[in-house]
Amino acid sequence: MFGKTFTLFRMFGFDVRIDVSWLVILVLVVWSLAGGVFPAQYSGMHWSIYLTMGVLAAIGLFASIVLHELCHSLVAQQYGLPMKGITLFIFGGVAEMAEEPPSAKAELLMAVAGPLASLAIAVAFVGAAFMGATLSWPEGIILVLRWIGLINVILVAFNLIPGFPLDGGRVLRAILWHWRGNLRWATRVASQVGAGFGLVLIGLGFLSLLGGNPLGGLWWILIGMFVRAAAKQGYQQVLIRQALHGEPVRRFMSAEPVTVPPDLSVQELVDEFIYRHHFKMFPVVENGALTGCVTTSQVKQVPRHEWSQRMTGEIALPCSEENTIDANSDAMKALATMTRTHASRLVVVDDGKLVGVLALKDLLRFLALKLELETDDSLSLPTSVAGQESG
């Protein structure tokens, strides 16, 4: 979903990150407010006043989205759900959960926490605007307060639309889950509603284009496409998590991995191992002990003319959570690590000792077979996973 992200700060134990795409929103908000909305309502001011008002309003939008997602995260934390953090991107923000909620009640409370926060923010800022008008505050301040309150009302209305993965769609999923006791079915129905809502947005976008509003029309089309893709991806994630739940890494690993010694030259590594076995990662073993792993990415960082002089041990990566996984860990954890690090292979250890190598292609093969046999839905694996190298 995300491209390049940067961590801004940490709040209540959560990393708040911003995707570079959110800078587009920042520019558009400031430009539209400073160049059109505020001058139309508050004429005769210097352009710097409008620019300041636009920047303050954009900061208010930023803070509102962070608080909205933070409330989701805090409720999730109360139910023991591990959270990856909060990321702001071009279409808003998202609280990233590593697992599905444990119950329909938890899902419902998490879903309504965000809109309730936005509603409280809206009431606070609209109330402040009315108070400012009563106390004769500067018109510019009143307009900024009123706009932040209004945008939060819009956030509440948009998020409560009953289409997954919007908050309203999560409320719908919670209700269906409680009714039938089937998370997969509830997610499928809520995702179908979300996909349908995405189509409606796309249709409205084309109508706006025909009505002479190209910027607004294109924006609605992009949002509709995002909602449809997110709805499909949300259902896929549930299927994948259920398919891999309880399956240990040990079941899928190769118990006889190809290893390399640290005193092997990079040239020999390339000629005798990478070109021969076609793997992108090899465990580095010395006297039976795992010392790290070496990947084609490390090889590419070594100048070609130095391959015969440099040793594999020099460029090998130390063992860490980024390239190793415990043999008894849940396979879903391994898949999440591979997706996050864009790795196609992980070193499998048991009590710190090398016991095998896990390949992404083996996990995907199992997933494809299990989903084909045990679900009635046609499913293509998410491109973020299926599109990775499987060597």
Side-chain angles (χ1 to χ4, degrees):
M1 179 184 292
F2 307 119
K4 182 67 174 178
T5 61
F6 302 93
T7 299
L8 297 180
F9 54 86
R10 190 170 180 83
M11 178 186 294
F12 297 103
F14 305 111
D15 288 329
V16 177
R17 295 180 291 269
I18 185 170
D19 187 275
V20 291
S21 64
W22 207 85
L23 297 177
V24 177
I25 290 294
L26 178 64
V27 172
L28 286 177
V29 168
V30 174
W31 174 63
S32 62
L33 292 178
V37 176
F38 289 150
Q41 301 178 29
Y42 186 39
S43 60
M45 295 293 104
H46 191 266
W47 65 268
S48 61
I49 299 295
Y50 298 128
L51 179 61
T52 301
M53 291 170 62
V55 170
L56 291 175
I59 293 173
L61 173 61
F62 169 84
S64 297
I65 296 175
V66 169
L67 289 174
H68 178 108
E69 300 301 333
L70 179 63
C71 286
H72 286 312
S73 301
L74 290 174
V75 175
Q77 191 177 60
Q78 293 300 311
Y79 282 91
L81 280 173
M83 300 297 297
K84 300 177 182 179
I86 298 170
T87 301
L88 304 185
F89 67 114
I90 192 169
F91 294 112
V94 61
E96 302 173 75
M97 294 185 296
E99 301 174 5
E100 292 296 332
S103 65
K105 178 183 177 181
E107 170 81 318
L108 178 64
L109 293 178
M110 287 167 51
V112 300
L116 286 177
S118 295
L119 183 60
I121 295 171
V123 171
F125 275 89
V126 171
F130 275 114
M131 182 178 69
T134 302
L135 298 176
S136 301
W137 290 358
E139 185 66 20
I141 295 178
I142 296 174
L143 286 177
V144 170
L145 293 174
R146 189 180 300 156
W147 184 87
I148 295 175
L150 176 61
I151 200 66
N152 275 277
V153 171
I154 295 174
L155 285 174
V156 172
F158 182 79
N159 275 283
L160 286 181
I161 293 171
F164 192 82
L166 299 175
D167 294 335
R170 291 188 175 276
V171 170
L172 174 61
R173 183 172 78 157
I175 294 172
L176 296 174
W177 185 5
H178 177 74
W179 175 39
R180 294 278 291 269
N182 189 323
L183 175 61
R184 179 187 297 178
W185 173 81
T187 306
R188 183 180 64 191
V189 174
S191 296
Q192 289 172 342
V193 175
F197 175 60
L199 276 179
V200 171
L201 292 180
I202 293 173
L204 291 175
F206 279 110
L207 288 177
S208 295
L209 289 176
L210 295 175
N213 183 11
L215 182 60
L218 181 60
W219 188 243
W220 283 115
I221 291 172
L222 290 175
I223 294 178
M225 292 173 63
F226 164 76
V227 170
R228 283 182 58 81
K232 181 180 180 181
Q233 186 181 57
Y235 183 42
Q236 289 171 336
Q237 288 177 348
V238 169
L239 292 179
I240 290 172
R241 284 170 177 164
Q242 290 189 343
L244 292 181
H245 179 69
E247 298 286 355
V249 167
R250 188 184 300 275
R251 173 175 179 177
F252 307 101
M253 72 180 189
S254 171
E256 298 181 357
V258 179
T259 65
V260 298
D263 58 356
L264 190 74
S265 72
V266 175
Q267 184 67 64
E268 291 173 319
L269 170 67
V270 172
D271 293 339
E272 299 177 16
F273 288 88
I274 295 178
Y275 288 162
R276 178 181 176 186
H277 298 284
H278 309 149
F279 297 153
K280 289 180 175 287
M281 185 276 292
F282 293 89
V284 180
V285 175
E286 184 176 22
N287 298 323
L290 176 67
T291 62
C293 67
V294 63
T295 69
T296 53
S297 296
Q298 274 63 60
V299 173
K300 288 171 63 177
Q301 294 177 18
V302 179
R304 180 68 178 79
H305 66 274
E306 295 182 12
W307 283 8
S308 59
Q309 288 81 39
R310 300 286 296 277
M311 297 295 107
T312 296
E314 297 178 42
I315 66 171
L317 294 171
C319 296
S320 69
E321 293 182 354
E322 301 296 305
N323 53 32
T324 62
I325 190 77
D326 189 270
N328 298 313
S329 293
D330 196 291
M332 187 61 212
K333 179 181 179 181
L335 182 60
T337 299
M338 289 177 167
T339 303
R340 185 182 72 253
T341 61
H342 304 288
S344 59
R345 289 160 64 82
L346 292 177
V347 176
V348 183
V349 297
D350 188 2
D351 197 22
K353 297 180 180 179
L354 174 67
V355 294
V357 167
L358 177 67
L360 177 61
K361 63 180 180 181
D362 294 328
L363 280 180
L364 297 184
R365 187 180 297 116
F366 170 80
L367 273 173
L369 288 172
K370 188 164 186 176
L371 293 173
E372 179 182 351
L373 294 174
E374 297 186 13
T375 67
D376 298 327
D377 313 289
S378 59
L379 172 75
S380 59
L381 292 175
T383 54
S384 60
V385 173
Q388 295 184 43
E389 297 288 347
S390 57

